[in-house]
Amino acid sequence: MEYFFLQVFVDRPILVDAQSCGNILAGVAPFAIECGLVAARDGEAPVVIFMQNTGQVAEVRVQTPGGRVACAGAARIDGVPGGAAPVPIAFRETAGSTCGALLPSGNTVDLVEGGRSP
């Protein structure tokens, strides 16, 4: 399936498609399963999503006991009350997706303005 994300600015009339959003991405697969766009499996459903914004692929795993999307679970996010079913996402081949290379300068360590080496 494919996913396209637009960032809306609240203080300016601007839409940006330069990035994706992992939080929204985590809801795409459960939504697709609940709407019948992707078949649910008993136990867990893997969903492969092409992110149009970045040209990358994400693998999302949704808990689907009895072939239905699970909502309740023990996964928690700091500062958010309650818990929910986890939705793990594995991003394929993302190294350098924003700046063109895993190590843009080609160095494993760069000293900036006289900084100390780690």
Side-chain angles (χ1 to χ4, degrees), residues 2-116:
E2 295 186 9
Y3 161 69
F4 185 70
F5 175 78
L6 290 172
Q7 177 71 46
V8 178
F9 283 73
V10 296
D11 60 342
R12 294 175 279 165
I14 298 174
L15 291 174
V16 178
D17 67 355
Q19 72 282 335
S20 188
C21 177
N23 290 337
I24 300 296
L25 178 62
V28 170
F31 173 81
I33 293 168
E34 287 185 345
C35 290
L37 300 172
V38 174
R41 296 181 181 175
D42 186 22
E44 186 177 78
V47 180
V48 176
I49 301 172
F50 176 73
M51 298 177 289
Q52 291 182 350
N53 301 64
T54 61
Q56 297 170 318
V57 175
E59 285 185 40
V60 181
R61 303 196 79 72
V62 180
Q63 293 180 2
T64 51
R68 298 184 56 87
V69 172
C71 294
R76 300 183 62 82
I77 298 174
D78 288 343
V80 177
V87 181
I89 302 172
F91 296 92
R92 294 184 189 165
E93 302 175 19
T94 59
S97 62
T98 300
C99 58
L102 175 60
L103 304 171
S105 70
N107 304 317
T108 55
V109 175
D110 287 309
L111 299 178
V112 179
E113 295 184 20
R116 292 184 293 163

